[in-house]
Amino acid sequence: MAAPQPPAAAPSGVLETCGLEQILEALRLLLSPGGSGSSSLQNTKHDVLLETLKSNLSALEAKFLKDARWKKLKVLRDEIASKAEWLQNSEDITWSFTSQTLLLLLSLKETMTRLVADFSPGAPNPRTPEAAPALSPDTLSVSQQKTVQSVLQFVVTLGVCPYLMPGVGVPLKYRTEFGAVVQDVVCLEAAPHATRRLYICCRVLLDLAQHASLGSMIFCRHFGDIAAGLCQLGFSPIKRKPPAPVEEVLTEEERTLSRRSLRDILDQVYQPLAVRELLILQGGPPQSCTDVKTQLRCHTPTWLRRLCGQLLSERLMRPNGVQAVVRGILEGVGAGAAGGADAEATAADWKKCDLIAKILASCPQQSLSPENYYKDICPQILDLFHFQDKLTARQFQRVATTTFITMSRERPGLALKYLLQPILAPLHRCLTTAEIPESDMVPGTVLVTEEELSRCVEDVFKVYVVANDPLPVFLDALLPLLGVLFSLYCFTKQSVSHIRSLCQEILLWILVKLERKKAIASLKGFSGLDKAVPSLHPQCQFRAAMHGGIVITIKETPSDDEDEALYQKVSSEQSQMEHLGDLLSHCQQCGLAGDFFIVCLKELSHLVVENEAEFKPMPSCYTSLLELEQYQALLIEDQERKLLVLQLLAVLCERMSEQIFTHITQVVDFVAATLQRACASLAHEAQSTVESQTLSMSMGLVAVMLGGAVQLKSSDFAVLKQLLPLLEKVSNTYPDPVIQELAVDLRITISTHGAFSTEAVSMAAQSTLNKKDPEWKTEEQQQTSHDTATVVQNCPEQEQGPPRTSQESKEPSSGTSQSPRNITTEQFQEVLLSAYDPQVPARAAALRTLSRWVEQREARALEEQKKLLQIFLENLEHEDTFVYLSAIQGEAEARRQVQRQPGLHN
């Protein structure tokens, strides 16, 4: 049988008298319930349904024969029926009912089409421009739309679903109770053949869908069933069995038409809807099922699974296909519309995001190559970051970041080329290594717009910080751009900027995730110590934009005022140093700040070593003026580097807290740098008071660690042994005999792993404790070397000068040479009460006062020495660092005084 042709138009006179309401009344008559008489309660549901269908068909025919008002509608129906080649009588009442319903729907469509064709709206009245325009005559009211929707539901339930193969679509008996009844009453043995019935219904429904309002009702509710029917008609394998009668077999032309129709409606409907229905048709992965209800859904035919996969890939490769796939999955798994009320729950479900990411990262078979696929898909993935609606943006951002990670793991080279480089492109344009076209070198030319820069920073923040997956391709792509990003961060610190926090978070994230050597190299580039690190192009500058953002432009022609230019240069470098210090203040717990501080100390030591060579007179071989200028430029560069190192150390000492060193290796490196600088100063006869005090302090720190302030392990002693060559050199070359002796004793103590310790080491440790507030934590000797290495708090300040304390360097016993003061009983009792004050500052100050009195051997303090020792011991359990560290100092001094008086040991 040939494909059904659209019915010919009926005579205009018929359509003029046949209104929409009359057709809808006929449809309501077909759908009216009952009709089986009073004995219907005694019948089964199947009999009730069959009797109702028969009764309604008979009532409709009676209306056509007896009611004169229905004459025009009967003429129209007969006219359309004469054109319908598919119409034939059947013994199956369900198919007869479906056929008559389809004829009335075709009549409705024809009537609506001719009404619109004959409609001529009047000219609008200029006096009442606010009046609504006249409605189109084919517009259906709400009640009429409900009637049409009910009729379409009957057509699909009676004419499509019963004829789908097992595993194709959702089984009818599992949808509703009525669907289960329909499945049992359909007579598949009666003519026409089941496949022919399915073909007729799908073709007529597609014909109806050509009308806009009818098409929206058909596809919104029944697209999945129609698509399932077309899949079966056009793609199901032909069984090699004895041929059926000719009229029951689809021709190849009809199968081809079904395939073409399937692709047409897939292109026509809302794409997320198409994706969702194809996913439902495709079914889940093959699995063993024990639930009877899901048994059929677990056996989707292989040909259908393959077909749906191919069709889904085609949806993905279309313009905005990524968004359609994302919306189709998110809207089809119980989340409602993307961005709807349940979007928060959907955004939190990472399993759905992982599923979508795997789908997007998998190259379909239709694509020519993975690179072609990535080239087409990646721009759409990047667009997922830029939705304005907050709830939708959250969902799509999670999908995009997960897809980023998946693609970067599977194909890092393609991900770098088509995902990361487009995001980072605005920063690449202004690198020192970038080749800026001559046409763009005009002063004031905008290289990166406000929107581009803002979007770039936001996308980098989402991909790197939010996703928080330090893949090598991620780190390598951003590493060369850190100099530009740091310059941008410094510029945002000058005023209010919404991207300042984003820049800071990005810098902190990557500095922590990078290998320590690469992170230190980047910090040296930020500070100017390493000119080879890529940074902002010298011809580029940041400027405030019109709408509160930032743009990157070509610098204006510099002014002739050299003083002003020098001032701008110096102030810019100073502010960059300060911003670097602020940035490093957030990197102390990970140890990066301490490592960079040690690197700066080593740079200072190198400058001391190179100092003598730098000031050698110019060799006589340099005779040309050019060579002389080059030599002078090198001298100036070396001097600038010296000043830069000193300035950087000053900023770090000012900005870093007392927790800068986090493990014993950093403490040892700090001491080693100090010893190296002291040896270098001796070699060049450049010893100073500051160097001497710094050397004493660093060696005192070692003595404190060896004296039991921290619990050292064998691995810690292996680290400490790095100091042995330097200590030997100090003991042989340093002029101060006290330092020489201490260096020898420290070498012995380190070499014996603390088994042997001299009195000089203990005295040096105690002297360091007295000179400097101890800041290490002793938690019942449960500390490991990693946790207890905070022994060097305030070490940076030692680089600037003597310790900030009122006492000079002295031996513990030197306190006896001071004349004791007369402390009144009232003063002593007031300080004792303050030692129990709940306010932390008052309590800590009281403990330090009592400790000082014990050290100075005040008479009143010596009388109450046991009581004071008890107070110190009680405060060791205090949670505040300032209090219990003050108690440590007091307890140590009290015990030392007790040991001098054997009578007090009890």
Side-chain angles (χ1 to χ4, degrees):
M1 180 181 293
Q5 302 298 324
S12 59
V14 174
L15 293 173
E16 289 175 359
T17 58
C18 182
L20 295 179
E21 184 57 36
Q22 194 173 38
I23 302 176
L24 291 168
E25 185 179 352
L27 290 173
R28 282 193 287 269
L29 179 61
L30 282 179
L31 300 185
S32 59
S36 59
S38 59
S39 61
S40 60
L41 295 177
Q42 302 174 2
N43 299 334
T44 64
K45 294 180 180 179
H46 306 78
D47 295 337
V48 170
L49 176 58
L50 292 175
E51 292 179 9
T52 301
L53 297 179
K54 290 180 181 178
S55 174
N56 291 348
L57 284 174
S58 300
L60 180 64
E61 290 299 327
K63 279 284 187 181
F64 281 141
L65 294 175
K66 299 178 181 180
D67 196 335
R69 295 177 306 164
W70 289 55
K71 183 177 180 180
K72 298 302 181 181
L73 176 58
K74 182 179 183 301
V75 172
L76 174 60
R77 187 197 66 166
D78 293 343
E79 179 72 19
I80 293 177
S82 65
K83 302 293 183 180
E85 299 179 1
W86 50 267
L87 187 62
Q88 67 180 95
N89 295 327
S90 175
E91 297 178 358
D92 185 3
I93 188 63
T94 60
W95 179 245
S96 299
F97 182 87
T98 303
S99 299
Q100 293 301 317
T101 307
L102 291 176
L103 287 177
L104 289 179
L105 287 174
L106 287 172
S107 302
L108 177 65
K109 179 211 169 186
E110 187 68 21
T111 302
M112 296 172 71
T113 302
R114 291 303 299 268
L115 287 175
V116 172
D118 296 339
F119 177 61
S120 177
N125 189 353
R127 296 183 179 180
T128 57
E130 71 279 0
L135 283 176
S136 175
D138 66 338
T139 304
L140 298 177
S141 66
V142 175
S143 62
Q144 291 174 339
Q145 290 182 24
K146 289 183 178 179
T147 300
V148 175
Q149 288 173 351
S150 299
V151 172
L152 291 173
Q153 182 69 44
F154 263 87
V155 169
V156 172
T157 303
L158 295 174
V160 176
C161 297
Y163 311 117
L164 295 177
M165 297 169 55
V168 179
V170 179
L172 186 60
K173 60 182 179 180
Y174 295 145
R175 301 190 187 188
T176 62
E177 184 179 358
F178 176 73
V181 175
V182 169
Q183 189 72 54
D184 293 334
V185 300
V186 172
C187 181
L188 298 178
E189 293 79 12
H193 190 269
T195 303
R196 175 60 58 186
R197 297 184 188 185
L198 177 62
Y199 178 80
I200 292 171
C201 279
C202 290
R203 292 307 307 164
V204 174
L205 288 173
L206 293 178
D207 186 13
L208 294 171
Q210 292 178 6
H211 191 280
S213 58
L214 294 178
S216 63
M217 287 188 283
I218 291 173
F219 288 141
C220 286
R221 298 289 185 89
H222 311 291
F223 174 80
D225 291 324
I226 297 175
L230 292 175
C231 288
Q232 177 175 317
L233 293 170
F235 296 93
S236 62
I238 300 177
K239 297 181 179 179
R240 301 302 179 184
K241 292 184 177 181
V246 177
E247 65 271 18
E248 296 180 359
V249 179
L250 290 182
T251 65
E252 186 60 32
E253 179 184 356
E254 290 171 337
R255 288 175 59 85
T256 302
L257 182 60
S258 299
R259 290 192 286 267
R260 187 185 310 123
S261 299
L262 175 63
R263 297 188 184 277
D264 289 342
I265 65 172
L266 286 173
D267 294 339
Q268 178 183 348
V269 300
Y270 177 59
Q271 289 304 293
L273 172 63
V275 171
R276 182 170 70 247
E277 295 299 337
L278 287 174
L279 287 172
I280 295 175
L281 276 178
Q282 189 179 37
Q287 54 186 331
S288 59
C289 298
T290 56
D291 186 5
V292 176
K293 269 196 168 185
T294 60
Q295 191 74 28
L296 290 177
R297 296 299 301 146
C298 297
H299 292 85
T300 302
T302 304
W303 63 267
L304 181 58
R305 294 179 59 84
R306 188 182 302 113
L307 172 64
C308 291
Q310 180 181 353
L311 295 175
L312 283 170
S313 299
E314 292 177 2
R315 301 303 99 197
L316 179 61
M317 299 298 291
R318 289 168 54 88
N320 297 322
V322 170
Q323 189 180 141
V325 171
V326 174
R327 288 185 182 274
I329 295 178
L330 294 180
E331 295 175 6
V333 287
D342 296 330
E344 291 281 350
T346 305
D349 192 344
W350 280 100
K351 292 183 178 179
K352 298 186 186 72
C353 298
D354 290 340
L355 171 64
I356 299 174
K358 291 178 180 178
I359 293 175
L360 297 179
S362 300
C363 179
Q365 296 179 353
Q366 295 91 322
S367 182
L368 297 177
S369 66
E371 183 165 2
N372 289 335
Y373 173 71
Y374 274 58
K375 185 178 181 180
D376 295 336
I377 291 300
C378 289
Q380 298 186 46
I381 295 175
L382 297 179
D383 290 339
L384 297 180
F385 284 121
H386 307 138
F387 282 84
Q388 299 300 321
D389 181 72
K390 291 184 178 180
L391 292 179
T392 303
R394 287 196 53 173
Q395 292 175 296
F396 285 17
Q397 176 183 317
R398 293 205 168 187
V399 172
T401 52
T402 309
T403 307
F404 246 94
I405 294 172
T406 305
M407 287 184 163
S408 300
R409 283 176 178 163
E410 295 182 358
R411 299 185 184 273
L414 295 179
L416 173 63
K417 183 177 181 180
Y418 294 108
L419 286 177
L420 291 172
Q421 288 183 356
I423 282 182
L424 302 173
L427 299 180
H428 273 290
R429 292 181 214 161
C430 50
L431 267 180
T432 51
T433 57
E435 296 183 0
I436 303 177
E438 289 292 336
S439 58
D440 293 339
M441 291 302 292
V442 180
T445 301
V446 176
L447 290 180
V448 181
T449 64
E450 175 183 2
E451 182 181 359
E452 287 178 329
L453 188 59
S454 177
R455 175 171 290 189
C456 170
V457 174
E458 291 173 358
D459 289 350
V460 171
F461 176 79
K462 295 170 184 176
V463 172
Y464 284 80
V465 181
V466 176
N468 193 25
D469 197 335
L471 297 175
V473 65
F474 282 11
L475 301 180
D476 294 341
L478 189 58
L479 181 60
L481 302 171
L482 292 184
V484 177
L485 201 58
F486 177 72
S487 299
L488 176 60
Y489 168 71
C490 294
F491 185 82
T492 60
K493 298 279 284 187
Q494 299 178 12
S495 61
V496 177
S497 177
H498 70 285
I499 63 174
R500 179 198 302 168
S501 60
L502 301 182
C503 293
Q504 176 176 310
E505 291 296 329
I506 294 169
L507 289 170
L508 292 176
W509 183 89
I510 193 168
L511 288 174
V512 172
K513 302 298 183 181
L514 280 173
E515 295 179 11
R516 190 50 53 92
K517 290 183 179 180
K518 293 182 179 180
I520 294 296
S522 298
L523 292 174
K524 293 174 71 174
F526 297 168
S527 62
L529 291 177
D530 189 354
K531 302 295 184 181
V533 176
S535 59
L536 185 66
H537 196 284
Q539 296 299 322
C540 297
Q541 65 176 359
F542 297 104
R543 290 182 56 185
M546 296 292 295
H547 303 288
I550 300 173
V551 296
I552 302 178
T553 65
I554 299 297
K555 283 185 178 179
E556 303 289 345
T557 304
S559 62
D560 297 333
D561 190 347
E562 295 183 358
D563 293 339
E564 177 65 20
L566 179 61
Y567 171 76
Q568 293 293 340
K569 181 177 182 296
V570 173
S571 61
S572 175
E573 292 177 352
Q574 177 63 29
S575 64
Q576 278 198 329
M577 289 291 181
E578 294 175 355
H579 299 327
L580 178 59
D582 293 338
L583 195 65
L584 284 174
S585 65
H586 299 283
C587 299
Q588 298 185 84
Q589 292 185 353
C590 66
L592 178 60
D595 288 342
F596 184 65
F597 181 75
I598 293 171
V599 168
C600 294
L601 289 181
K602 293 179 179 179
E603 286 287 337
L604 186 61
S605 301
H606 295 160
L607 292 179
V608 172
V609 173
E610 298 170 359
N611 185 56
E612 182 179 356
E614 291 174 358
F615 287 95
K616 288 182 178 180
M618 177 180 176
S620 58
C621 59
Y622 294 130
T623 56
S624 67
L625 182 60
L626 178 60
E627 292 175 340
L628 178 61
E629 290 180 351
Q630 292 176 349
Y631 179 76
Q632 294 295 334
L634 288 176
L635 290 181
I636 294 174
E637 183 179 348
D638 291 338
Q639 293 299 317
E640 288 180 349
R641 184 178 180 83
K642 282 184 179 181
L643 294 175
L644 187 62
V645 172
L646 294 175
Q647 183 185 20
L648 183 58
L649 282 171
V651 170
L652 292 178
C653 292
E654 178 184 355
R655 298 302 175 95
M656 296 300 104
S657 72
E658 297 180 346
Q659 305 290 335
I660 185 172
F661 294 148
T662 58
H663 49 81
I664 196 170
T665 303
Q666 291 182 326
V667 179
V668 172
D669 290 340
F670 167 75
V671 174
T674 305
L675 295 177
Q676 289 175 351
R677 189 168 66 257
C679 295
S681 300
L682 289 175
H684 296 87
E685 298 180 356
Q687 183 183 3
S688 64
T689 304
V690 174
E691 292 287 352
S692 178
Q693 292 180 346
T694 305
L695 181 61
S696 300
M697 180 272 301
S698 61
M699 296 177 67
L701 289 176
V702 179
V704 168
M705 290 190 293
L706 295 174
V710 294
Q711 183 178 358
L712 298 176
K713 298 180 180 179
S714 58
S715 58
D716 299 330
F717 280 104
V719 176
L720 285 169
K721 286 183 179 180
Q722 301 175 12
L723 301 176
L724 295 180
L726 294 172
L727 290 172
E728 182 179 7
K729 190 172 182 180
V730 170
S731 65
N732 294 332
T733 59
Y734 207 80
D736 190 341
V738 177
I739 292 181
Q740 287 184 355
E741 180 183 0
L742 179 58
V744 172
D745 293 342
L746 288 175
R747 289 183 64 238
I748 296 174
T749 305
I750 293 174
S751 299
T752 60
H753 285 208
F756 176 79
S757 180
T758 63
E759 183 67 21
V761 174
S762 301
M763 294 176 63
Q766 189 62 48
S767 176
T768 302
L769 292 176
N770 292 337
K771 288 194 300 179
K772 195 66 187 167
D773 296 338
E775 297 287 342
W776 60 84
K777 303 178 182 180
T778 56
E779 299 179 358
E780 302 298 332
Q781 297 191 1
Q782 299 298 316
Q783 304 276 7
T784 64
S785 60
H786 173 79
D787 298 324
T788 59
T790 56
V791 65
V792 292
Q793 272 76 355
N794 276 345
C795 290
E797 301 174 34
Q798 299 294 338
E799 292 299 317
Q800 303 180 74
R804 293 180 296 145
T805 176
S806 60
Q807 303 178 27
E808 298 298 327
S809 177
K810 59 181 179 290
E811 297 297 325
S813 60
S814 63
T816 58
S817 62
Q818 298 181 358
S819 56
R821 298 183 301 166
N822 294 324
I823 303 175
T824 64
T825 304
E826 291 76 13
Q827 292 176 327
F828 188 79
Q829 292 297 328
E830 181 180 359
V831 175
L832 284 182
L833 290 176
S834 298
Y836 293 94
D837 196 302
Q839 298 296 326
V840 170
R843 177 179 292 199
L847 292 174
R848 291 182 179 274
T849 301
L850 293 174
S851 176
R852 187 173 66 253
W853 287 348
V854 172
E855 179 186 4
Q856 296 174 353
R857 301 182 61 79
E858 296 287 352
R860 183 63 175 160
L862 293 177
E863 292 175 3
E864 302 290 337
Q865 198 161 346
K866 292 181 61 178
K867 185 174 183 179
L868 295 182
L869 180 60
Q870 183 63 30
I871 293 176
F872 292 139
L873 291 175
E874 292 174 357
N875 281 278
L876 288 177
E877 301 297 329
H878 198 277
E879 62 181 2
D880 188 85
T881 307
F882 197 37
V883 172
Y884 73 71
L885 292 178
S886 301
I888 289 175
Q889 184 178 2
E891 188 264 348
E893 186 62 37
R895 287 191 181 279
R896 188 171 64 84
Q897 296 297 338
V898 168
Q899 291 174 358
R900 294 185 175 183
Q901 303 179 37
L904 296 177
H905 283 196
N906 55 357

